[in-house]
Each structure stands twice: as structure tokens, then as C-alpha cells.
Amino acid sequence: MTEGGAPIGVVGTGYVGLVTAVCFAHLGHHVVCMDVDAAKVESLRRGAVPIYEPGLDKLIEDNAVRLSFTTSYDELLAACHTLYIAVDTPPTLAGDADLSRVLNATHQIAQRGGRRLLVMKSTVPVGTGERIVADLEAAGLKGEVTYVSNPEFLREGAAIQDFLEPDRIVIGSSTVEDGDAVEELYRGIDTMVVRTNVPTAEMIKYASNAFLATKISFINEIANVCEQVGADVRTVAHGMGLDHRIGPHFLQAGIGYGGSCFPKDVQALKQLAGNSGYHFQLLTAVLEVNHLQKRRMVGKLKRHLGQLRDKHVALLGLTFKPNTDDLREASSIVLAARLLGEGATVSAYDPVIAPGDHALFPGVTLCADAMEALRGADAVVLVTEWAEFARLDWPAARELMRRPFVLDGRNFLDPETLAAAGFEYDGVGTGDLGLARAPVANG
Ligand code: UGA
């Protein structure tokens, strides 16, 4: 409970808002969740969770007595003093973060007056907090509404664990009391708390995501060089990661990062720097490497199969990573479109994507299981490392395919198992497997 035993309010029931709300409920707080989407609120009231996040439905069920859902700002504000903002900030056409939903929420809150503690969970550009405070003061709410930045570091698919067992909690505030009030909400979680001012907290979020994306693009470039010189990036990453200054995480080479965060946040930080007169060269390269990495898979397929016209390529996995149903900025979208552009036939299977037509994959045959997708294929590309693909009956798959060739876009499958099943295998930077070292073009 917060001030006066009032519940915490959370505006936005996307994956960040919902996970935040449910985890605070799990910590013992009453939480009122508000969303403008009436259908979503209705389904949450019935206990139906609109997103795929392991463990979330169970946690909602367990904490149902402390959770309520509404579409009404009046209802939310009548109940809550502390208000988390967790609406999305998609990129604008200019590449900046679109703050319209955030500003609409703060406007709705300001219009209704009253003493409030606004806490920002949404990822917003550095300077947003100061801008919101200035707007609130201009609206005559000086001293009434105070503001804290409390960014999220939740990975989709592991969001509950990331909330309840975080590496750190970051709290940016302009007064000690406001920061204390937010820190108190996390009582029960044993971790480092970084207390700072609002712009610094905002920057910690962007810098963290941009650094992780940089690590991925870096190891992807190392993988590409490994292919030229016959080295194996998996062992290179292992050898690098044992140095504690580097660490083993986010050194998994592959077909590029996707999702709702890295692509947008790297772009937004680059844009933020540019808008303030600084050209962030490194991030420009990180974005370009990621863009080309997806296309490289097409070049590799051509190297193995020759021209792709009239070839059949099967994709295993479509989501931007396993254990989520999120397709935002998934590498599969670009890959499928490029393959179709080359004249290939494309089939696909993903455990959480229903068969039939899909707006993001026009022209792709979405199948009900992996074997159906592989039938008659000249190559299979592993795009998303869902656990079930490691357990696939590869000898049976070989019988179904026209040509037994696997391109492992995540270095996830065991090359020896595949070789034993009669497959030709190639990965990303996994060393020269007897092929001539011709450079691989970005398809
Ligand atoms: C990311 C961050 O990891 C979270 O800390 C952050 O809170 C979140 O963004 C956000 O800003 O909301 P998320 O996008 O859910 O989380 O996914 P990650 O697990 O970080 O993976 C992102 C992408 O990088 C995926 O496409 C994944 O396949 C790729 N990746 C990750 C690699 O290609 N190699 C790696 O070694 C690690």
C-alpha cells in the first residue's frame, strides 16, 4: 500500500504495465490498472491475459484480490495517489520516441487535479521528465504533482523474474522524499537501488539497451569475420565471456536482434543525440550491422542452393525470440520478404503463431507444425530458438525434405545430431564446414 493505504495506479496494461501491476500486487500492494482499451480491460476482468508471458496468468490469478481493472481515469484517480505510467512509446516517422500516449496520460491526470506522485515506467527520451514537470507547473499544478523516473529492465519471456529478482532498481527523483516513496514500494526485493536525478535515470535505461544491442552487433560482426577465417564464434564468445570485464551475456551471434525495445531504443538514442547536435557514430553502425545481418542469411542460402527462384525455404520460428508471441521488428519479417523477393516459396511454423494468413507474412504459408513446414523444402532456416526445435525428429524431417540443408540462424541446433541425421549444416560464424571461403553477400 502507498500513502494513506491507497492502492498504486498503473496506466497502460501492455506487457510492462501488466507485469508491473501484477508484481506489485504480489508484493502485497493493491493495484488499480487503467487502460483505454475496453476489450482488454474486459478480458482482464475475466482473468483472460491478452499477452503471452510465462507465469503471468498464474500470478494474476493468485493476486486477483489485490488487482482491479478500469477504463476510467476518474475511477483510477479517485483511488490512487501514486500513478505509474506504462504506456508504449513507439518510434515516430522521424525515429524519435512518440510521446503522445504518455502526454495524453499526464494531461488526463493533470486536468483532474489533486496531489499525485507520477512515476514513469515507459521508456522516454532523456529530458521528458523535466518537460512533463514544466507542463504541469504551467498548468498551475506546481507542488501538486511530483515526478519520478523508474525505468523498467524487463525481458519479454522472463519479465516476472526480472521484476522480482532484478539486477538493480533505478529511481530518479528531484526530491529525496519522492524517491523514498518509490523505493518503499519495492520493499521485499533484495537488490541494489540506484538513486539519482530524473535525466540520469532516463539515460541509464537508454544506455543499457543501446549497450546490449552494441554487444549483439559486435559479436555478429565477429561471427562474420569468423566465417572468413575459419574460426568458430561460439568458442570465441565463450573465451571472451570468461573475462569478467566482458561477461558471457548477449554474445550470442545470430540473425540480428528484434523486438519492441532494442530497435526502437537504439534509434531513439541516436536520434536524441542528433537532435542535441551530437552524431552518435557507434550506434549508426550498430543499427546498420543489425539490418544487414538479417539479409546475410539470404546470401548464405544462395551460396548453398544457388539461385533461390523456385526453391522452397522453410522457416522455423517467427517471433523475435522464444517464449513470447511478439513479432515486432522480428528478423523473420525481413527474411521472409527477401526470400519471396528472390522468387522462393516460403513456408513457416512457429509454436505461437496460428496457421493461415498473417498480415506480416503475405505470401508465406504458415503451417500447423514443423514437419508440415519442412515437407518438400530445399532448406530450413532456424530463425527463433524455440526449445521444441532442438527436440525435432530430424531423421524424419530429412525424409520429408527435398534437400537436407539446415541454416541455423541462432547457432542453436547441434551440428553433430544434424550430421548424423544426414543434414548439411551451416550456422552464423560457426567455422568453415568444408565450404570454399567465398565472401557471403548481404542478400
Ligand atoms: C530488452 C532488454 O533485454 C530488457 O532489459 C529491457 O527492459 C527491454 O528490452 C525493454 O527495453 O523493455 P527484450 O526486448 O524483451 O528485452 O529481449 P532480449 O531478451 O533482450 O532480446 C532482444 C533481441 O536480441 C532478441 O531478438 C534476441 O534474439 C536478440 N539477442 C539477444 C541476440 O541476438 N543475441 C544475444 O546474445 C542476446
Side-chain angles (χ1 to χ4, degrees):
M1 293 271 192
T2 59
E3 187 177 279
I8 302 171
V10 177
V11 179
T13 58
Y15 110 94
V16 171
L18 203 52
V19 169
T20 300
V22 174
C23 288
F24 274 138
H26 178 74
L27 291 177
H29 302 285
H30 284 265
V31 184
V32 180
C33 306
M34 189 265 159
D35 202 295
V36 290
D37 183 338
K40 210 188 236 183
V41 167
E42 202 35 58
S43 96
L44 284 164
R45 280 181 178 152
R46 288 195 316 271
V49 185
I51 53 170
Y52 179 84
E53 181 64 35
L56 187 58
D57 38 7
K58 171 86 170 65
L59 211 60
I60 292 186
E61 198 185 314
D62 292 351
N63 293 287
V65 289
R66 284 185 290 278
L67 285 164
S68 63
F69 301 93
T70 180
T71 52
S72 157
Y73 272 103
D74 291 325
E75 220 174 278
L76 175 82
L77 296 176
C80 307
H81 163 77
T82 301
L83 297 164
Y84 267 85
I85 310 283
V87 293
D88 57 338
T89 53
T92 65
L93 292 176
D96 302 306
D98 179 357
L99 291 177
S100 56
R101 293 175 182 85
V102 167
L103 296 178
N104 181 50
T106 56
H107 176 72
Q108 296 287 344
I109 292 163
Q111 253 190 344
R112 288 164 172 83
R115 282 194 59 231
R116 310 282 174 202
L117 175 59
L118 275 189
V119 193
M120 190 58 67
K121 253 305 168 206
S122 301
T123 300
V124 292
V126 184
T128 302
E130 287 178 348
R131 171 182 169 182
I132 289 174
V133 169
D135 286 353
L136 292 169
E137 287 182 0
L141 293 165
K142 190 170 168 60
E144 289 282 290
V145 182
T146 50
Y147 184 96
V148 172
S149 167
N150 176 211
E152 55 90 10
F153 302 97
L154 310 175
R155 286 164 303 166
E156 288 186 34
I160 291 166
Q161 187 196 342
D162 285 349
F163 191 100
L164 296 173
E165 297 163 37
D167 289 342
R168 79 299 207 190
I169 292 166
V170 174
I171 298 172
S173 62
S174 44
T175 71
V176 174
E177 297 73 37
D178 290 337
D180 286 349
V182 171
E183 188 169 342
E184 181 60 24
L185 301 178
Y186 287 92
R187 187 195 282 260
I189 293 181
D190 181 19
T191 193
M192 293 283 293
V193 178
V194 179
R195 294 283 296 268
T196 182
N197 61 24
V198 171
T200 307
E202 292 169 337
M203 184 55 107
I204 289 172
K205 167 69 190 188
Y206 271 106
S208 300
N209 272 4
F211 185 75
L212 291 169
T214 303
K215 259 185 125 174
I216 298 170
S217 278
F218 179 84
I219 201 68
N220 281 339
E221 289 222 281
I222 292 289
N224 298 344
V225 178
C226 282
E227 287 173 9
Q228 295 303 115
V229 298
D232 187 334
V233 73
R234 292 166 301 185
T235 311
V236 172
H238 175 64
M240 286 169 63
L242 291 173
D243 184 328
H244 72 271
R245 293 168 302 174
I246 298 173
H249 306 291
F250 279 70
L251 288 178
Q252 177 69 41
I255 156 173
Y257 61 76
S260 61
C261 307
F262 286 174
K264 124 180 127 58
D265 291 349
V266 175
Q267 182 65 40
L269 181 53
K270 172 178 138 77
Q271 205 68 32
L272 177 83
N275 294 345
S276 60
Y278 181 73
H279 176 54
F280 206 143
Q281 286 198 67
L282 187 56
L283 291 188
T284 305
V286 168
L287 288 162
E288 191 186 19
V289 169
N290 195 55
H291 181 63
L292 293 177
Q293 199 68 8
K294 306 169 195 173
R295 293 167 170 261
R296 249 180 100 77
M297 301 305 276
V298 178
K300 281 191 172 198
L301 283 169
K302 282 186 185 165
R303 186 171 158 218
H304 287 272
L305 304 181
Q307 285 310 307
L308 298 179
R309 176 155 298 284
D310 302 326
K311 299 277 170 26
H312 173 181
V313 180
L315 307 182
L316 287 186
L318 295 170
T319 54
F320 84 97
K321 65 176 191 177
N323 301 320
T324 172
D325 59 358
D326 201 335
L327 287 166
R328 282 176 289 181
E329 300 283 337
S331 299
S332 58
I333 300 168
V334 171
L335 180 59
R338 282 291 303 114
L339 290 170
L340 290 169
E342 292 287 330
T345 301
V346 183
S347 58
Y349 164 70
D350 187 289
V352 295
I353 306 296
D357 294 336
H358 196 293
L360 290 175
F361 302 101
V364 175
T365 306
L366 296 182
C367 301
D369 64 58
M371 290 300 180
E372 191 188 323
L374 297 177
R375 188 181 299 279
D378 294 286
V380 49
V381 184
L382 184 126
V383 181
T384 314
E385 66 276 35
W386 286 97
E388 70 172 71
F389 298 144
R391 299 191 298 265
L392 207 68
D393 184 347
W394 287 102
R398 191 207 179 296
E399 295 305 315
L400 290 175
M401 289 177 66
R402 190 154 65 189
R403 178 174 169 171
F405 171 54
V406 172
L407 180 52
D408 186 352
R410 297 287 176 187
N411 294 343
F412 173 66
L413 302 169
D414 176 24
E416 282 174 21
T417 304
L418 287 160
F423 275 88
E424 195 189 344
Y425 175 91
D426 198 3
V428 180
T430 49
D432 192 324
L433 300 170
L435 293 158
R437 276 184 212 147
V440 175
N442 294 309

